[in-house]
Amino acid sequence: MTVISVEGLKTHFLTRAGVVRAVDGVSFSLDRGEVMGLVGESGSGKSVTGFSIIGLVDAPGKIVDGSIFFHGDDLSKLSARQMQALRGSRIAMIFQDPMMTLNPVLRIDTQMIEAIRAHEKVSRKEAWTRARDGLAQVGIPSPEQRLRAYPHQLSGGMRQRVAIAIAFLNNPDLLIADEPTTALDVTIQAQIVHVAQKLCRERGTALIWITHDLAVVAGLADRIAVMYAGRIVEAGDTDDVIDHPRHPYTVGLLGSVPSANQRGQRLTQIPGMTPNMLALPEGCAFRDRCTHSDNQCSKAPQVSTDERGHAIRCFHPQYVKTPA
Amino acid sequence: MTPIIEARGLSKKFVKRLDLAGKIAQRLGADIHEEIVHAVDNVSLSINAGEVVGLVGESGCGKSTLGRIIAGILPQTAGTVLVDGKDTADMNSTDRTAAALAVQMIFQDPFASLNPRMRVEQIIGEAPLVHGLTDRAGLSDYVDDVMMKVGLDPLLKQRYPHQFSGGQRQRIGIGRALAVKPRFLVCDEAIAALDVSIQAQVLNLFMDLREQFELTYLFISHDLSVVEHIADRIVIMYLGRVVEAADTEALFDDPQHPYTRALLAEIPRLDQRKRDFTPIAGEIPSPLNPPSGCHFHPRCPYVMPVCKTEVPKLAAQHDLRQVSCHLDNSTRRIID
């Protein structure tokens, strides 16, 4: 059952300096309980894709084209009020900085009870019980005490867990996780991934895990989509994308991960810088940094999909095997 | 061989002194104390010329503080730092300047570590000019040369830091350190703030520079996979103390301290698919009030009564590896 289906989404930012095509024709869909890793570097449009789905794109940003279907309903046709009813209940999001979710001047219990009562008519007492159970489920010790704390009294990892607990309060069908572990230590990162993985599995929540870290999604995701300059350049099963990357950018990105290389050897790096979104080259946005580009690449490549559903957007698909 | 850098019994305490109101309240019997953080607690470390030592730990474990003390930009509370076998505290001013120039530091945040009001030429050229490595007439060529070494276009030297991308700024920071011809670089999370593709470029630059100038690195990072790639030897810290130190190969093949094992088990790897993430419980405790005995005991799966009372010694084993744990190898194997 398809939970979310995004078709040809274009989110542009109309700035004074010009139009930034942050998301420029992104399509994907997710089934119940499926985990998709959305991978890209800063400025690739991966976060804006997430914000577009949940309807949090601020001016000067605007969804200019494409549609987002949630359980078959076109989200762009919904009124602000209807969208608000979905947001935080059926679709939830966690952010890199949990302080974006948490209000610094309100206690945890106030915020959690508010989140429940905004979507459901329940008594404060019942909401409190659900909030406590929610905290316990994300592995927070002595949840009754933690409910009385303010966000600043908790550590970064603990705050992120509270954010996850809030996201799961209303049993969402879709969770968008925007780099939730980037600012955290390895051991805390493992705890956060563990909690999110567990809750999504138990409840069949579809998960979009946005990150720049291929190694995390390799262990977590069913499918991976790689974004570059506003477009998905490669998408497919995790095994296909990581073991047999086809797009030169994915090949380069995987080569940049130290653990994929021989200890002490030079990493296979991608030349050049992350692109300036205001001055993208015509055609394939990656061609300036690509070692395989030729005249053909000045036209935008179309998506080609093989029989396994492994899709790429490139004229020069690669056939390499990543050393495991 | 005399190690290029040696730290003996280094400690650093940060004390938050009581203000007047606090002092009065304390006199009147209130339960208020000075807050003391043992950021670094009796750490010894020696690094030979040409070696790359990785210093790994979670935030708050004191790795950056140790790096800063070794780089000489933060005074230690106790212990000594020796450069080329000489105690920096006993040096005359000429030697001290030479030692300070030999040891340079590269910082994490390429946005905060460069003066926004200086042009690249000044940022890189200031120190060599002051220390007589070049004169005014030769400064321009000198800066060009350094910029080329770190992969920057010398034509950009009249620009300000904000006109560069994150990766380029980090190259400016590296250039500034290299400009005084150091032999030893302390890299404090030097690639943590960069994008993946740029990380690889800067990591490659570090490896090239090491070969070209026979540099020695202390590479501080929370990312074991990066350290695994670049370091010859790895030192793992937990709450101000070294818990394990070993050659990279040995550490990854056979981690011995329970904390090291937990860390290694938790690095996400490309070759692990559909894994169940099973984290170690708990978080790094507050350094204000560290657990007694072995600092790791509240999170340790092998904890014994002795761990709660006695601090384990950092014991050297046969292959120059050091482990600070009450368990010995044979017991640990049996438990496994």
Side-chain angles (χ1 to χ4, degrees):
Chain A
M1 191 178 72
T2 309
V3 173
I4 183 112
S5 145
V6 176
E7 284 164 24
L9 176 71
K10 290 189 180 182
T11 307
H12 294 180
F13 288 78
L14 312 160
T15 67
R16 210 172 281 181
V19 178
V20 176
R21 296 181 172 82
V23 177
D24 203 20
V26 162
S27 306
F28 61 84
S29 72
L30 239 74
D31 287 346
R32 206 179 120 78
E34 209 176 0
V35 182
M36 184 178 86
L38 191 56
V39 181
E41 296 184 274
S42 30
S44 62
K46 55 191 193 306
S47 296
V48 178
T49 305
F51 284 122
S52 302
I53 294 171
I54 204 169
L56 286 179
V57 179
D58 283 331
K62 199 165 178 285
I63 299 180
V64 294
D65 197 13
S67 35
I68 303 166
F69 295 98
F70 182 67
H71 287 307
D73 302 329
D74 190 345
L75 291 186
S76 62
K77 302 254 165 35
L78 296 186
S79 66
R81 184 182 288 268
Q82 286 170 313
M83 193 63 215
Q84 195 172 13
L86 275 185
R87 198 186 295 132
S89 69
R90 310 262 50 86
I91 308 178
M93 187 160 181
I94 51 175
F95 304 90
Q96 176 174 352
D97 180 1
M99 288 311 272
M100 260 176 94
T101 310
L102 301 173
N103 185 331
V105 296
L106 294 180
R107 291 192 334 204
I108 303 293
D109 53 1
T110 321
Q111 306 193 37
M112 293 187 81
I113 290 168
E114 190 183 10
I116 296 171
R117 305 225 309 166
H119 294 285
E120 241 181 290
K121 274 208 165 110
V122 289
S123 68
R124 282 193 70 83
K125 188 139 199 244
E126 199 190 325
W128 183 89
T129 319
R130 267 170 62 184
R132 185 197 59 196
D133 296 346
L135 285 190
Q137 267 161 357
V138 295
I140 289 181
S142 48
E144 285 94 349
Q145 280 174 31
R146 293 301 176 195
L147 275 175
R148 282 197 300 276
Y150 286 91
H152 76 265
Q153 294 169 308
L154 306 176
S155 66
M158 200 79 98
R159 279 182 213 152
Q160 195 59 279
R161 278 197 241 193
V162 172
I164 293 177
I166 292 177
F168 275 99
L169 277 177
N170 296 303
N171 275 319
D173 298 323
L174 172 68
L175 176 66
I176 303 166
D178 187 6
E179 307 225 27
T181 61
T182 307
L184 303 171
D185 282 312
V186 203
T187 58
I188 311 299
Q189 165 171 294
Q191 291 173 356
I192 297 297
V193 178
H194 167 74
V195 165
Q197 188 181 40
K198 189 187 83 169
L199 289 174
C200 284
R201 273 186 191 163
E202 283 170 8
R203 307 185 184 189
T205 309
L207 174 64
I208 301 178
W209 192 273
I210 299 172
T211 182
H212 65 270
D213 190 345
L214 272 164
V216 171
V217 286
L220 177 69
D222 303 309
R223 284 192 294 136
I224 290 182
V226 181
M227 279 190 84
Y228 187 81
R231 294 194 175 136
I232 293 181
V233 295
E234 177 155 10
D237 276 356
T238 301
D239 291 345
D240 289 345
V241 173
I242 298 218
D243 294 333
H244 307 282
R246 291 278 158 78
H247 195 283
Y249 177 64
T250 318
V251 175
L253 211 53
L254 284 163
S256 303
V257 177
S259 58
N261 288 268
Q262 193 96 46
R263 223 172 256 167
Q265 294 295 306
R266 277 180 65 94
L267 303 168
T268 41
Q269 62 182 41
I270 305 174
M273 289 182 283
T274 38
N276 175 0
M277 293 299 286
L278 277 169
L280 288 178
E282 284 282 309
C284 173
F286 186 59
R287 70 186 167 111
D288 288 355
R289 302 173 74 186
C290 184
T291 44
H292 304 278
S293 65
D294 56 20
N295 289 334
Q296 206 181 356
C297 301
S298 55
K299 287 197 209 72
Q302 294 306 307
V303 181
S304 56
T305 312
D306 70 7
E307 69 281 359
R308 291 177 53 83
H310 189 167
I312 51 160
R313 209 184 257 275
C314 183
F315 291 118
H316 307 287
Q318 304 296 301
Y319 295 92
V320 295
K321 175 143 178 44
T322 321
Chain B
M1 191 165 67
T2 324
I4 181 164
I5 287 278
E6 196 179 350
R8 285 191 194 152
L10 279 185
S11 291
K12 177 74 188 174
K13 283 184 210 169
F14 291 103
V15 183
K16 188 182 161 201
R17 304 224 175 268
L18 291 177
D19 56 7
L20 183 65
K23 278 181 185 157
I24 293 169
Q26 193 181 32
R27 281 280 170 81
L28 296 173
D31 188 22
I32 299 178
H33 300 281
E34 287 186 334
E35 293 185 338
I36 300 174
V37 174
H38 278 266
V40 176
D41 189 3
N42 194 16
V43 170
S44 299
L45 180 67
S46 83
I47 300 170
N48 291 320
E51 213 179 8
V52 176
V53 175
L55 186 58
V56 179
E58 293 180 87
S59 20
C61 75
K63 57 189 193 300
S64 290
T65 306
L66 181 62
R68 278 160 192 260
I69 295 171
I70 288 176
I73 59 175
L74 196 69
Q76 65 270 36
T77 315
T80 48
V81 178
L82 292 84
V83 178
D84 292 323
K86 280 188 278 186
D87 187 346
T88 44
D90 301 335
M91 285 180 182
N92 61 31
S93 67
T94 339
D95 285 354
R96 193 173 300 150
T97 311
L101 286 181
V103 182
Q104 290 296 316
M105 187 150 178
I106 292 158
F107 301 90
Q108 170 174 4
D109 188 351
F111 295 80
S113 60
L114 303 175
N115 187 335
R117 314 182 87 178
M118 282 165 84
R119 295 176 194 275
V120 175
E121 183 171 33
Q122 292 170 285
I123 292 174
I124 294 177
E126 188 183 29
L129 193 64
V130 169
H131 293 286
L133 290 163
T134 177
D135 50 23
R136 278 227 177 265
L139 181 65
S140 182
D141 290 339
Y142 191 88
V143 171
D144 288 0
D145 184 43
V146 172
M147 285 179 78
M148 263 161 355
K149 280 177 193 157
V150 295
L152 286 168
D153 185 350
L155 290 174
L156 307 178
K157 67 182 168 186
Q158 293 303 327
R159 294 202 181 178
Y160 290 99
H162 75 265
Q163 294 170 295
F164 292 89
S165 69
Q168 286 176 315
R169 266 185 258 207
Q170 199 56 286
R171 287 175 194 265
I172 298 172
I174 297 168
R176 175 177 64 182
L178 283 182
V180 293
K181 300 198 159 60
R183 286 177 293 136
F184 183 80
L185 285 182
V186 178
C187 311
D188 186 6
E189 300 273 14
I191 62 165
L194 306 174
D195 265 316
V196 187
S197 67
I198 310 300
Q199 271 193 4
Q201 293 176 359
V202 175
L203 211 53
N204 279 343
L205 176 66
F206 275 124
M207 292 194 276
D208 294 345
L209 291 172
R210 176 197 185 186
E211 226 164 87
Q212 212 176 336
F213 301 105
E214 295 171 350
L215 290 169
T216 308
Y217 294 134
L218 177 65
F219 208 90
I220 301 172
S221 179
H222 68 279
D223 188 342
L224 263 167
S225 60
V226 169
V227 172
E228 173 187 12
H229 193 74
I230 195 172
D232 304 317
R233 196 151 59 87
I234 294 179
V235 177
I236 310 246
M237 277 182 85
Y238 189 75
L239 272 186
R241 295 178 189 154
V242 173
V243 294
E244 182 160 1
D247 283 347
T248 306
E249 204 120 324
L251 188 94
F252 275 84
D253 292 347
D254 179 26
Q256 301 207 337
H257 195 282
Y259 180 61
T260 317
R261 297 170 144 227
L263 273 186
L264 290 192
E266 278 164 25
I267 343 175
R269 302 191 71 97
L270 284 178
D271 48 6
Q272 288 176 320
R273 305 291 152 73
K274 299 276 168 68
R275 61 184 283 205
D276 287 308
F277 289 84
T278 42
I280 31 173
E283 302 191 13
I284 189 162
S286 161
L288 265 178
N289 195 5
S292 59
C294 171
H295 284 339
F296 189 60
H297 84 253
R299 299 171 82 183
C300 183
Y302 310 105
V303 62
M304 304 177 292
V306 62
C307 303
K308 294 175 185 164
T309 50
E310 258 177 70
V311 181
K313 283 200 182 62
L314 188 66
Q317 299 183 349
H318 55 95
D319 51 354
L320 290 178
R321 140 191 305 236
Q322 294 173 303
V323 184
S324 155
C325 185
H326 288 300
L327 276 176
D328 62 42
N329 257 331
S330 48
T331 351
R332 197 162 25 226
R333 293 251 155 69
I334 293 164
I335 297 172
D336 286 345

